Amino acid sequence: MSGNKFSGSSRGSSTRSLWRNARLATLREDLSGLGIVEKGAIVSEGGRILFAGPEGELPSSLIETAEIIDLEGRWVTPGLVDCHTHIVYGGNRAREFEMRLEGATYEEIARTGGGIVSSVKATNALSVEGLVEAALPRLDTLLSEGVTTIEIKSGYGLNIEAELRMLRAARALGTVRPVRVVTSYLGAHATPVEYKGRNQDYISDVVLPGLEQAHAEGLVDAVDGFCEGIAFSVNEIGRVFDKARSLGIPVKLHAEQLSNLGGAKLAASYGALSADHLEYLDEDGARAMAAAGTVAVLLPGAFYAINEKQKPPVQALRQAGVHIAVATDCNPGTSPLTSLLLTMNMSATLFGLTVEECIAGATREGARALGLLGETGTIEAGKSADLAIWNIESPAELVYRIGFNPLYAHIFKGQRINR
Ligand SMILES: [Zn+2]
């Protein structure tokens, strides 16, 4: 994966580039479907798209000084956006996975130190550099499929210093690789053993002061929480969201994954960017999300890995007019998944999303879920030149194939990333 190393070279960002003879799936909202432009061209300069549209409409003034790249009819989509990941952590849970397959119960696994406790322990043992090193193979795998924007959460530290280290590692990943990193503070992910049964104390002692410190260090783009019977109640999450609001930070929430506590409604009442998982969401919750513009982030990797039976209410989301994104939820316990292409396939096969919904979900809607739709997620003039170029005959192949990566090249801020 060394081919992904980012030299930070300035070459490319100031050069004017013209990609021609391309088929574009622009995902533009003012066009129908995938916003397809046959025989299209894209011009970028200074990392921004100057023109994207039919080659025949290309202004000649833009052609003159451009470096011209003939894409020989290849398809171009926006660079992929993975809007929900936990890729920064120590250790892994393969032994626990093996024990479960051999018939061990959750209690037996917990007794041997398994579960989230083991990830917290392994994460706490690592420095920022150690966390970066541990996360890089996961990040590189995602980048090899054309990801240009990734969200990364804290939440395996569960004490202030370790949460800060996770966020610093997330920020560092965005400097050693050509990718836009967006961070979420997830102090309210689980209750550490020393606070067992004392969620409110944990929030007072760790989550809220940790958020203040992380924010002061510029480490927090959004605040997240896990609202669930095994995690935090609506009232407890409300305290965290109140603090986020007072600091002017947007919120998002893991909601309705294993039961319906009304987390999505709570998130919507704070104008959340997204509510994620949503297997147990009801129609009321879907309507509240639509009214607040809260994006539904579906995570089929976790659904698959925990063998969940309840599917998210896709039809209710569509009917209410909720925007739907899809993401890997890459994490060591319930979604050890580092493929957004496979995520798209699972979203179609397991949840019944259409090809258009899957591709939009991993591009435009992922960007919307991060509050970045003005910057990336579609191919149109003014946005960052974040592109994925594919060896495919039709966009449906991106969703249809399993375990196959047809990426030809990808472009981040106008620069080609060598594979
Ligand atoms: Zn998650």
Side-chain angles (χ1 to χ4, degrees), residues 84-86 153 186 189 224 254 277 299 329 331:
H84 181 138
T85 86
H86 308 248
K153 303 174 194 297
L186 181 57
H189 189 199
D224 198 349
H254 291 66
H277 287 291
L299 306 168
D329 191 18
N331 77 71

Side-chain angles (χ1 to χ4, degrees), residues 163-336:
E163 288 292 305
L164 292 175
R165 278 200 300 276
M166 288 185 73
L167 294 170
R168 289 178 194 134
R171 285 275 192 253
L173 287 167
T175 66
V176 297
R177 287 294 186 271
V179 65
R180 182 180 294 101
V181 170
V182 180
T183 58
S184 297
Y185 175 78
L186 181 57
H189 189 199
T191 314
V193 273
E194 60 272 28
Y195 280 93
K196 198 169 192 298
R198 296 190 296 127
N199 278 7
Q200 295 286 10
D201 291 343
Y202 171 63
I203 290 172
S204 303
D205 296 352
V206 177
V207 178
L208 301 183
L211 171 55
E212 277 185 2
Q213 284 190 38
H215 174 62
E217 225 183 280
L219 294 172
V220 185
D221 296 321
V223 172
D224 198 349
F226 186 19
C227 186
E228 194 55 67
I230 57 166
F232 296 91
S233 69
V234 162
N235 286 342
E236 289 157 357
I237 294 294
R239 288 183 62 201
V240 181
F241 282 5
D242 283 340
K243 172 62 81 178
R245 180 181 271 172
S246 76
L247 296 170
I249 309 169
V251 301
K252 56 175 70 175
L253 191 62
H254 291 66
E256 271 72 277
Q257 181 187 7
L258 307 169
S259 62
N260 185 349
L261 295 189
K265 255 187 158 169
L266 172 84
S269 76
Y270 283 82
L273 289 169
S274 70
D276 304 29
H277 287 291
L278 302 174
E279 276 81 348
Y280 288 81
L281 181 74
D282 57 26
E283 285 178 14
D284 234 28
R287 279 193 292 270
M289 287 175 63
T294 299
V295 176
V297 178
L298 304 187
L299 306 168
F303 174 92
Y304 167 83
I306 65 174
N307 204 13
E308 174 64 62
K309 298 290 180 255
Q310 172 97 8
K311 298 181 183 196
V314 168
Q315 198 49 35
L317 291 168
R318 287 177 184 141
Q319 259 161 19
V322 178
H323 292 286
I324 300 173
V326 301
T328 61
D329 191 18
C330 177
N331 77 71
T334 58
S335 188

Side-chain angles (χ1 to χ4, degrees), residues 26-37 356 364:
T26 64
L27 276 299
R28 266 170 53 172
E29 287 192 278
D30 58 333
L31 302 178
S32 63
L34 293 171
I36 287 172
V37 178
E356 188 186 316
R364 184 184 68 218

